[in-house]
């Protein structure tokens, strides 16, 4: 018969080693999840910035098409529902474009941009998803220079996005640490 001596070594891991490994793994996974949340938040901020740029470009193109009345586009209440539906629709219906005067087109453009900033372009039930949160647009015209500003509320407070901008930009939207802004300045020639 073979006799067992006390020199044999036990293989495997102890319970303490398993617990320590689990704690280290948990801390690592929490870091990965936190990184994912930060990346997602950054993705939303970038998406809102791109939306604001597209919205500013939209109204600038509308103004270029109707540059005779560009002074009348000036205002700071876009996105707040201040512009009512004009008597004449200058949009396209059933593939037919309505013929509108410059004034009718200007009123239609102001109404459309107001609705775009209010998020009416994309709805989920009654919830407006088509614009950044609390988007407000402002248009300033000085001679041939046009400044279009889109302000909105970001997801996380950092600093006021208009604090370093012009006084006109600072007057557009609500001053909070969550405010973000996109500003487009261009020159237009009255044709």
């Amino acid at each position: 018969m073979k006799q067992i001596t006390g020199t044999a070594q036990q293989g495997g891991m102890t319970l303490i080693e398993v617990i320590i490994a689990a704690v280290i793994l948990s801390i690592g996974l929490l870091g990965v999840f936190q990184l994912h949340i930060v990346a997602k938040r950054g993705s939303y901020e970038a998406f809102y910035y791109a939306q604001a740029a597209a919205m500013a470009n939209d109204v600038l193109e509308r103004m270029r098409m109707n540059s005779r009345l560009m002074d009348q586009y000036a205002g700071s209440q876009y996105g707040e529902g201040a512009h009512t539906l004009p008597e004449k629709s200058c949009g396209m219906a059933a593939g037919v474009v309505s013929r509108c005067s410059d004034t009718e087109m200007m009123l239609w453009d102001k109404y459309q941009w107001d609705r775009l900033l209010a998020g009416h372009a994309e709805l989920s039930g009654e919830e407006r998803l088509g614009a950044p949160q609390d988007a407000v647009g402002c248009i300033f015209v000085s001679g041939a220079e046009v400044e279009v500003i889109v302000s909105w509320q970001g997801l996380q407070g950092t600093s006021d996005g208009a604090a370093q901008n012009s006084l006109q930009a600072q007057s557009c939207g609500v001053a909070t640490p969550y405010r973000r802004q996109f500003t487009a300045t261009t020159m237009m020639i009255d044709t």
Side-chain angles (χ1 to χ4, degrees):
M1 220 182 318
K2 197 170 183 185
Q3 190 172 3
I4 300 177
T5 61
T7 60
Q9 298 250 342
Q10 181 179 5
M13 298 189 329
T14 65
L15 184 58
I16 289 290
E17 290 171 330
V18 171
I19 290 174
I20 291 172
V23 167
I24 292 172
L25 180 65
S26 298
I27 291 171
L29 288 175
L30 286 174
V32 169
F33 291 139
Q34 182 65 29
L35 181 62
H36 177 71
I37 291 170
V38 169
K40 193 72 157 174
R41 190 176 296 132
S43 174
Y44 280 120
E45 292 284 351
F47 175 68
Y48 289 155
Y49 189 84
Q51 265 191 319
M55 290 174 176
N57 188 53
D58 176 71
V59 77
L60 283 171
E61 290 303 316
R62 290 173 184 269
M63 291 175 72
R64 278 190 184 97
M65 296 298 293
N66 197 3
S67 60
R68 286 189 196 104
L69 298 178
M70 71 178 169
D71 290 342
Q72 295 184 31
Y73 283 85
S76 60
Q77 295 181 332
Y78 291 100
E80 298 175 357
H83 300 277
T84 58
L85 178 65
E87 290 180 21
K88 184 171 184 181
S89 170
C90 295
M92 186 173 6
V96 177
V97 178
S98 300
R99 297 190 59 74
C100 294
S101 69
D102 289 347
T103 302
E104 291 169 334
M105 184 59 77
M106 180 265 310
L107 292 172
W108 179 254
D109 290 344
K110 290 172 74 168
Y111 171 73
Q112 287 294 311
W113 201 54
D114 184 63
R115 289 182 53 83
L116 183 66
L117 286 166
H120 287 280
E122 187 175 338
L123 300 173
S124 175
E126 293 294 317
E127 188 177 0
R128 298 175 188 158
L129 305 173
Q133 180 180 354
D134 300 328
V136 175
C138 302
I139 299 173
F140 299 100
V141 179
S142 176
E145 184 177 287
V146 178
E147 183 177 27
V148 176
I149 302 163
V150 178
S151 292
W152 70 96
Q153 297 297 311
L155 297 175
Q156 186 174 9
T158 54
S159 64
D160 186 359
Q164 303 300 320
N165 294 348
S166 68
L167 290 176
Q168 291 176 336
Q170 291 177 20
S171 71
C172 188
V174 179
T176 69
Y178 293 86
R179 177 165 62 171
R180 308 288 188 266
Q181 278 192 337
F182 177 84
T183 303
T185 305
T186 189
M187 300 294 281
M188 287 190 197
I189 298 171
D190 181 10
T191 56

